[in-house]
Amino acid sequence: MDLRNTGGTGDDPDAILADMSLADKIGQMLMCGFEGTVLTDKVRELVATGKIGGIIYFARNVESPEQVARLTASLQRAALEGGTPPLFISIDQEGGMVARITEGVALMPGGMAIAAAGSEADAYDAAFVSGNELAAMGINLNYAPVMDVNNNADNPVIGVRSFGELPQRVADFGAATLRGFQDAGVAATAKHFPGHGDTAVDSHLDLPTVPHDRIRMEQVELMPFRLAIAEGVDAMMSAHIYFPALEPEKLPVTLSKTVLTGLLREELGFEGIIMTDCMEMNAIAEHYGTVEASVMAIEAGADMILISHRADRQLAAIAAIGRAVAEGRLSEARLDVSVRRLLALKAKRGLLGGGGAAGQALSGLARCGTAAHLEVARRISEASVTLVRNDAPVLPLRRLRTLVITAAPMVATQVDESFAPAPGLGTALSKHGLACEDRVIPSDQFAQYSAELLAVAAAEEIGQIVLGTYNARFNPAQAKLAEALQTLGKPMAVVALRNPYDLLVMPGVQVYAAVYESRPLALESAAKALLGEIPFRGRLPVSLGSDYPAGWGMSL
């Protein structure tokens, strides 16, 4: 297929498919990532010769909205010059702690913070704003919303990315989010089908198993995905998880024809794109091998194979799919079914018929990070701050010298990717006139700093203490320090800066709040609430034991 001399791609998926070679079709089923912030010769070759259907951006590809738009334009130009349809340009821009573009945009709060703020309209607005900004950079597919029901406090990878533990609420907020993205012209992806919320294993590292029976899954895990399908979600991402109730063989969903074709396609009636999660995650790579599993996923019913990192694996997967067709393991007709869906979505999102022209990605950047967009993020963030326990006269904070200890965010799972050095909660409080002794400690290094911090806290000039924890449930030294600080008898407030479950491992804490993320905006919102400048209005999206059920929240 060569689209260079046809005045664009045309917008008829069937006509484009009819003109495709086998190599064209195989390439369209690959979504690939790469290192760097500019188009290199190797990536150009992957696009033009490998005929790939899409690119995934990570933080490694991002410097600014302007640079992303230029990169996108160069990639789309490479596709045009290679005679292939315009690319899906995809990203994980969930908001909150999982976002690849954080500067120059209105970074929205994440799922749990939005749910804590309590408005489905907010969920829509956040996605619509974010979607408009992504579209301005030429990004046309987002891996959001997360529609996993997070009902496991020990879940190491979903947590605050979820809208909470109540299935109907997750479904409703997820549906509002996908509508927001798609109304902005960006394809939404409901993930991680059929549910990654009740695991204590990160599928980036190993293969989790969810043992629940089908009745329970209908009541919990599947409910949000059913609504996503009813709302017309463009894509669904499969989970690398084994569900014995759904699959008789020990296969993760990504490789299960019983689940992807039998359940998702035939029973639930999903007609959109089935996208795999990254095939280099250990749940797949260590058990099946990225290349072989790519063929298995297509056999199972996947339309697009995501290989985020290594070029050798991407090229090997393309070759393996070709061999599978030559050997009769896959039929070309099977590929046609998926490629037709992929082209149909590209047409729906305006990529065909000239809509993916290289220069188009450079238009509209002025709408990134506008005052109006930033106001949406601020409004939601401030509404999300949740006061869970208030058993001592600490809040609002008094104008005393305050020791503020902040557990710095750390990369706890590959989905976090990286965090730039950020100021602590003390910096935010200082901006509002509070005299602070500000200490920012790596989240996993509290043990070595505890003696020093206790000594500072005990000093006479310190009148009160604020501790910002970060996943203390997985970093016990944070909880141990909190309990030790509490014994000093000084007024103290603890603020959870990621998972709200931290309270469960520090039961002696008397004043406890949650903001669900440690992005600068969340720290600013926390500071305002602690000082009494804004009310505590958030409500817990998850239960923290029987005393603090989902929906709980206090005010001063």
Side-chain angles (χ1 to χ4, degrees):
M1 178 183 65
D2 191 336
L3 300 170
R4 287 171 290 188
N5 300 313
T6 61
T9 64
D11 58 3
D12 183 352
D14 287 321
I16 296 171
L17 179 63
D19 197 36
M20 279 183 161
S21 68
L22 176 60
D24 293 328
K25 296 172 184 177
I26 293 170
Q28 282 298 296
M29 297 179 70
L30 268 289
M31 180 79 76
C32 301
F34 64 95
E35 296 281 347
T37 57
V38 296
L39 179 66
T40 64
D41 289 341
K42 286 186 177 179
V43 178
R44 186 189 307 276
E45 182 179 0
L46 182 65
V47 172
T49 305
K51 309 291 185 181
I52 62 171
I55 291 288
I56 179 172
Y57 286 158
F58 288 88
R60 66 195 183 194
N61 305 118
V62 173
E63 291 176 347
S64 68
E66 293 76 14
Q67 169 268 326
V68 171
R70 289 193 300 271
L71 176 59
T72 299
S74 66
L75 286 161
Q76 296 291 23
R77 191 176 302 113
L80 182 62
E81 293 171 352
T84 62
L87 298 159
F88 285 125
I89 304 293
S90 66
I91 198 165
D92 283 290
Q93 192 76 3
E94 298 172 10
M97 300 311 293
V98 177
R100 310 311 184 201
I101 307 172
T102 59
E103 302 298 325
V105 298
L107 178 59
M108 292 294 143
M112 196 168 287
I114 290 172
S119 167
E120 292 171 36
D122 284 344
Y124 178 91
D125 289 347
F128 186 73
V129 166
S130 184
N132 269 282
E133 296 192 350
L134 292 175
M137 292 174 266
I139 296 168
N140 48 51
L141 191 154
N142 192 18
Y143 298 118
V146 173
M147 300 193 80
D148 304 307
V149 179
N150 199 94
N151 49 18
N152 188 328
D154 290 323
N155 194 316
V157 66
I158 303 300
V160 295
R161 301 165 64 197
S162 166
F163 294 108
E165 70 176 34
L166 303 175
Q168 188 63 59
R169 195 166 179 81
V170 172
D172 292 339
F173 275 76
T177 299
L178 72 87
R179 287 196 301 270
F181 283 123
Q182 293 185 177
D183 285 353
V186 173
T189 309
K191 62 184 186 186
H192 305 80
F193 181 83
H196 204 321
D198 197 1
T199 69
V201 174
D202 179 0
S203 55
H204 292 84
L205 305 177
D206 206 345
L207 176 61
T209 297
V210 174
H212 303 305
D213 62 27
R214 179 63 188 268
I215 294 174
R216 143 63 196 249
M217 290 195 66
E218 286 290 344
Q219 296 170 340
V220 179
E221 280 81 8
L222 290 176
M223 181 186 291
F225 295 102
R226 282 186 178 275
L227 184 56
I229 293 168
E231 291 286 345
V233 69
D234 284 333
M236 195 84 73
M237 178 177 281
S238 63
H240 299 331
I241 298 176
Y242 170 47
F243 290 82
L246 303 179
E247 169 55 64
E249 299 182 36
K250 190 173 183 180
L251 286 171
V253 165
T254 299
L255 308 182
S256 170
K257 187 171 184 177
T258 302
V259 180
L260 294 190
T261 298
L263 175 58
L264 183 53
R265 285 280 182 226
E266 296 172 359
E267 183 177 339
L268 300 186
F270 180 58
E271 297 179 352
I273 302 305
I274 297 179
M275 173 86 60
T276 74
D277 208 338
C278 180
M279 302 299 279
E280 292 170 294
M281 291 163 57
N282 283 357
I284 295 295
E286 295 297 319
H287 294 267
Y288 305 94
T290 296
V291 174
E292 167 61 16
S294 296
V295 176
M296 294 173 68
I298 295 172
E299 289 179 309
D303 299 304
M304 200 158 210
I305 307 301
L306 175 58
I307 304 179
S308 301
H309 303 287
R310 286 174 44 177
D312 60 330
R313 288 174 172 169
Q314 294 160 359
L315 294 172
I318 290 172
I321 297 166
R323 286 195 304 273
V325 174
E327 295 166 359
R329 182 176 172 188
L330 289 172
S331 69
E332 190 165 354
R334 163 67 190 89
L335 302 190
D336 287 349
V337 171
S338 286
V339 176
R340 185 177 288 107
R341 285 196 194 102
L342 294 164
L343 292 172
L345 180 55
K346 288 185 176 184
K348 178 182 178 182
R349 292 296 157 209
L351 299 182
L352 304 185
Q360 185 166 329
L362 295 172
S363 65
L365 282 173
R367 65 180 186 260
C368 290
T370 64
H373 287 184
L374 292 168
E375 174 61 18
V376 173
R378 182 203 61 78
R379 171 172 54 80
I380 298 170
S381 178
E382 290 187 0
S384 74
V385 185
T386 308
L387 182 60
V388 179
R389 178 181 287 174
N390 190 33
D391 293 344
V394 176
L395 300 178
L397 294 174
R398 290 173 286 172
R399 296 291 169 172
L400 304 172
R401 184 156 187 83
T402 305
L403 172 62
V404 185
I405 304 167
T406 305
M410 61 179 289
V411 176
T413 178
Q414 291 177 30
V415 76
D416 290 338
E417 192 180 8
S418 64
F419 293 119
L425 186 52
T427 298
L429 288 164
S430 296
K431 289 179 182 177
H432 293 264
L434 191 68
C436 295
E437 179 76 23
D438 192 18
R439 300 296 179 92
V440 180
I441 308 297
S443 295
D444 59 348
Q445 296 180 27
F446 265 60
Q448 66 194 72
Y449 289 97
S450 290
E452 175 188 343
L453 294 171
L454 282 168
V456 174
E460 185 176 350
E461 64 268 22
I462 298 298
Q464 60 192 356
I465 303 165
V466 175
L467 171 62
T469 61
Y470 190 90
N471 286 353
R473 189 171 181 85
F474 306 121
N475 295 279
Q478 291 182 39
K480 187 175 181 181
L481 176 65
E483 298 289 350
L485 289 169
Q486 193 74 56
T487 65
L488 296 176
K490 295 186 177 184
M492 184 176 80
V494 174
V495 183
L497 301 179
R498 188 154 179 166
N499 278 317
Y501 301 110
D502 289 357
L503 181 62
L504 300 176
V505 294
M506 48 183 76
V509 166
Q510 295 177 302
V511 178
Y512 182 83
V515 290
Y516 312 99
E517 49 204 55
S518 62
R519 296 293 189 186
L521 177 59
L523 299 181
E524 173 71 10
S525 298
K528 289 179 180 178
L530 291 171
L531 291 166
E533 296 179 8
I534 61 172
F536 288 95
R537 289 184 286 156
R539 295 291 182 267
L540 284 173
V542 295
S543 298
L544 306 182
S546 58
D547 291 336
Y548 307 107
W552 173 269
M554 305 178 71
S555 57
L556 291 179

